[in-house]
Amino acid sequence: MAMNGKKEVIHREGMEEKLKKIDLMLPPPETEPDRQYYFMRKLREQVSAMKKELGRPLTANITTFGCQMNARDSEKILGIMRYVGYEESDSQEADFVLYNTCTVRENANLKVYGRLGQLKTAKRKNPNMVVALCGCMMQEEEVVEKIKKSYRNVDIIFGTHNIFKLAELLFRKLSDCEGNAKMLIDIWEGTTEIVEDLPNERKYKFKGGVNIMFGCNNFCSYCIVPYVRGRERSREPEDIIAEITDMVNDGVIEVMLLGQNVNSYGKNLKHPVTFAQLLERVEQIEGLKRIRFMTSHPKDLSDELIAVMGRSRKICKQLHLPLQSGSSRLLKIMNRHYTKEDYLLLVDKIRRAVPDISLTTDIIVGFPGETEEDFADTMDVVERVGYDSAFTFIYSKRTGTPAAQMENQVPEEIVKKRFDQLLAAVQDISARKTREKTGSVQEVLVEEKNKQDSSLVTGRTSQNYVVHFPGDASFIGKIVPVRLEESKGFYFIGSRVEQAR
Ligand code: 5AD
Ligand code: SF4
């Protein structure tokens, strides 16, 4: 039901219907999404002819680095690849090998270069192989220059703004109109365009991610994301609701709403909507049972949102709230717009509204100029908040960000010592948290059969804890009450409690 009490009926034309309407005898349409549909159909014909000629299926291998946004983009890419006729494969010798890259820290880049080096041999073994690169790293000019010079085995490069170009680029590559050796590069910068209606694909039948916004306007001084993902732009609430409704009709019971900073959702829309208002609309979708979201910036987490979280029956009891540093002095230099005290007060407020919420965070160690006192403040917040888990990162200098210009970089051995100290504290606290939960009964959404022990299934609680318990494939996709019998650090062994939901 819609908020005004009227039943919300959103009819959307299926992808197949739209694709069929495209006339392949005409030149490619100029506007999206029709242009990508045109090339998807052209490519499908091409792939079908290639399969006949080779007498075997064509395979695609996609490797994803980085965050949930990249994971979601990779699902969309797989959707396009499946539609045009490729089969997914684990092999690095597949006919189409794609790396969806991350550049948030330097080591993410190094991993990609390492993989590209290894691919040289694989490509010799499979001369039909097409190698493609996309994602945040490709939005950096010097990366593309380096690839052009040193990794001639790459065939296609596209960026974070134009995934929908994939079919067109691959069609051009395979139809060989520009010569086989040519590297096709299509990177967009500064666009505000959002192309709706990409073919949708998801890893699990019963849960999936939905982008609610793209880009980031925050310019935290260490972070490269605003430069590679562009300015913040929100999708229209109607498009989001329609997508989730379609997913629910297709068997989804849990959604993860995705954005770099979901708390500032809707500000740039013609008719602005707050994130809390969007959540209330998502909550109304019949059949949907669980809602998660990430990432929340502490500076934009409103009282309105806390109130919605407090009264919601569907929003999971989990909040990812990046701290980055516990030092108010450093937070200022990081351009985070909150202090240590603001953060702690916010945590108190959230815990009052949702007492059993699980809190997770991101913390950077070794930001330029970090003193012992700054680090002690970080440790203090970690102890006081008691995170269920925390991602800890060593500061990585990213060219083009303000922090990269700062001269007072912290010596490596000091950073390493602080990092180890922080990690030990974080692990101690999460072990304590899991021990405290032992014996409780939690609702677990079962995701899959356990990979090591086939008598077990694996799922997640509302607080996002992983639980393994005895069960069979019939549990997959269902929410089951489970007693957490034993804590094993980051996960639990449980047993099913007989009661229907
Ligand atoms: N160095 C280390 N960690 C970083 N992050 C972002 N930029 C950097 C950097 N330059 C971390 C932040 C962010 C997470 C996704 O990555 O903690 O929340
Ligand atoms: Fe990077 Fe800050 Fe934006 Fe997060 S909020 S993506 S850390 S600039």
Side-chain angles (χ1 to χ4, degrees), residues 104-105 222-223 322 324 362-364 393-396 398:
V104 117
R105 286 168 295 276
Y222 49 82
C223 186
Q324 312 301 2
D362 293 340
I363 300 170
I364 299 175
F393 304 109
I394 287 180
Y395 168 72
S396 170
R398 308 309 292 125

Side-chain angles (χ1 to χ4, degrees), residues 206-208 244 248 252-257 279 282-283 285 287-293 312-318 442-447 459-465 467 477-481 501:
F206 49 86
K207 73 168 191 174
I244 302 174
V248 170
V252 162
I253 57 172
E254 178 180 305
V255 282
M256 167 77 100
L257 309 181
L279 276 175
V282 176
E283 172 110 14
I285 298 174
L288 181 67
K289 294 193 174 149
R290 281 179 167 190
I291 305 166
R292 299 187 195 272
F293 52 85
S312 167
R313 289 171 302 109
K314 296 187 180 175
I315 299 174
C316 287
K317 297 188 185 306
Q318 172 213 4
Q442 308 275 342
E443 301 213 308
V444 173
L445 170 55
V446 182
E447 294 183 353
R460 281 173 192 272
T461 66
S462 166
Q463 294 178 323
N464 209 28
Y465 277 93
V467 185
K478 300 210 170 90
I479 294 179
V480 188
R501 195 187 183 206

Side-chain angles (χ1 to χ4, degrees), residues 216 218-220 222-223 225-226 260 297 324 336:
C216 180
N218 289 313
F219 292 95
C220 300
Y222 49 82
C223 186
V225 168
Q260 303 295 344
H297 194 308
Q324 312 301 2
R336 293 288 291 174

Side-chain angles (χ1 to χ4, degrees), residues 17-35:
E17 292 165 56
K18 286 181 193 164
L19 275 144
K20 272 194 206 129
K21 283 192 188 151
I22 303 287
D23 187 347
L24 295 186
M25 304 309 283
L26 295 173
E30 288 296 322
T31 54
E32 294 294 352
D34 286 358
R35 187 175 171 89

Side-chain angles (χ1 to χ4, degrees), residues 71-81 163 166 195 198-202 211 214 235 243:
R72 181 73 196 112
D73 286 349
S74 287
E75 286 182 337
K76 292 177 187 169
I77 288 168
L78 187 60
I80 296 173
M81 295 308 291
I163 292 173
L166 170 60
V195 174
L198 275 119
N200 255 334
E201 183 88 20
R202 55 179 186 273
N211 297 106
F214 302 93
R235 291 177 67 198
E243 183 175 337

Side-chain angles (χ1 to χ4, degrees), residues 35 48-49 84 96 110 186 245 318 383 443 448 462:
R35 187 175 171 89
S48 156
V84 300
F96 176 81
L110 299 178
D186 194 334
T245 308
Q318 172 213 4
E383 295 291 342
E443 301 213 308
E448 56 205 353
S462 166

Side-chain angles (χ1 to χ4, degrees), residues 304-313 315 317 350 352-355:
E304 185 197 12
L305 175 60
I306 295 174
V308 170
M309 289 170 71
R311 64 173 176 262
S312 167
R313 289 171 302 109
I315 299 174
K317 297 188 185 306
I350 296 163
R352 253 180 279 133
V354 191

